Amino acid sequence: MTVAWLLLALAVAPPGCGSSDADGPSGSTSDGSGAAAAGGGPGHGGAAGAGAGASVPEECTALAGAICARLDECSPASITLPYGTVETCQAREARRCASALAIADSGYSLGKAVACAAAYQAATCDGVVTAVAADCAPGGGARGVAEPCASPDQCESGRCAPAAATGAGGGGGGVAEPPTGCGVCAPRAAVSESCADDAAACAPATACVAGVCVALATFGTSCATGQPCDLGLVCDGSICVPGGAAGAACSAMAPCDPGAWLGCVAAACAAPVWAEGGQPCAAAVEGDPVPVCIASSHCGGGAICVAAAEDGAACGGAPGVSCYPPAICSGGFCTLPDVMQCD
């Protein structure tokens, strides 16, 4: 599964570094099941068109429970930003697993789901991403480098890179077609290999630092040379340790817990202000914390969180409407990978 690598990026980005591509859920109509909103386009309308009618194996349900429980314990922002609630996380991660099983040329299997669930259950918060890397990394698919893909599980390398953007009109001056959401299988870069031209190329449990892929550091190991710490850990100047809890004293050398999205405000760790779809994402009073959009929404025009769309509903467009993971905006509609046409 790919969730750990996506959520790592969400959880370790410093609070206040621009708007999140994540949104607001308790007020959302999503039940997390993948049910589509009315008005889906051709080939995407309704639950069946979006792939939501596919059955979810019990192994996928168990995997989703293990992932979301561990992330909620170790990095609650990894739940809040993309999903909003643990329940939505569980439903969407189960759907991700089912989609990975159903997609053409997939290297995913029920055995992988079981092994990944066990890895999450056994992992501690001292280095959860590193602990699950071997059993949960995508890959093993039938498609080689440069072949089209909708999911990393289709690629032998485990990486489905975004296709090169052609720009409005494709250089011909016409109206650009809605993005398909399809990508191409791309190679992974291992530790010590270059990522200078593609920072996203590094393998799971590694990160691109100064143009080179380096392994994530776990609890108690050195981060003195700029080596990034694992999920929920911070570098206190030389060693990876848990970040400060809400109310704890903080400084540049004593960071707050990134897994809870805490920021250092007036030398004390402070919790963020979360905003759901339709709520303001600008500070009401100058100097107040800037609200962070949650559950896959993002801060749009008028400083209002733009809620994510349901499976099968319209996405993209001027407001930049996003989709709930694992759905992808394909041809202007939120579509699950297993029903995308990326051949």
Side-chain angles (χ1 to χ4, degrees):
M1 300 304 292
T2 61
V3 65
W5 328 127
L6 165 67
L7 297 183
L8 172 64
L10 288 171
V12 301
C17 291
S19 60
S20 165
D21 267 350
D23 106 35
S26 59
S28 166
T29 57
S30 172
D31 63 359
S33 66
H44 301 81
S55 61
V56 176
E58 62 182 21
E59 291 88 347
C60 288
T61 301
L63 171 62
I67 289 174
C68 299
R70 181 61 68 238
L71 291 176
D72 188 44
E73 176 186 359
C74 302
S75 178
S78 296
I79 300 290
T80 306
L81 290 170
Y83 304 115
T85 67
V86 171
E87 292 75 19
T88 300
C89 173
Q90 292 170 338
R92 298 307 293 174
E93 284 305 315
R95 179 57 58 197
R96 186 193 300 274
C97 173
S99 180
L101 289 166
I103 197 166
D105 296 329
S106 176
Y108 202 63
S109 66
L110 289 177
K112 281 191 174 183
V114 172
C116 183
Y120 268 100
Q121 289 166 342
T124 68
C125 294
D126 294 343
V128 63
V129 172
T130 300
V132 303
D135 294 305
C136 301
R143 299 186 181 183
V145 171
E147 292 191 75
C149 54
S151 163
D153 289 293
Q154 293 177 295
C155 303
E156 183 180 6
S157 66
R159 182 170 183 240
C160 181
T166 57
V175 177
E177 292 294 322
T180 63
C182 296
V184 292
C185 293
R188 285 285 194 190
V191 171
S192 299
E193 292 183 345
S194 174
C195 53
D197 296 328
D198 186 357
C202 295
T206 69
C208 187
V209 178
V212 176
C213 295
V214 298
L216 298 179
T218 55
F219 176 76
T221 60
S222 175
C223 51
T225 58
Q227 187 173 10
C229 298
D230 206 312
L231 184 68
L233 301 176
V234 297
C235 186
D236 70 350
S238 61
I239 300 295
C240 289
V241 297
C250 56
S251 67
M253 297 298 291
C256 302
D257 181 5
W261 206 257
L262 301 183
C264 191
V265 179
C269 293
V273 175
W274 300 125
E276 301 180 356
Q279 293 183 336
C281 46
V285 178
E286 185 175 354
D288 282 357
V290 176
V292 178
C293 298
I294 64 173
S296 293
S297 68
H298 69 93
C299 193
I304 299 295
C305 292
V306 178
E310 308 291 345
D311 294 351
C315 55
V321 176
S322 56
C323 305
Y324 288 100
I328 300 169
C329 193
S330 176
F333 296 90
C334 289
T335 311
L336 290 167
D338 59 286
V339 293
M340 291 175 60
Q341 300 300 314
C342 295
D343 298 318

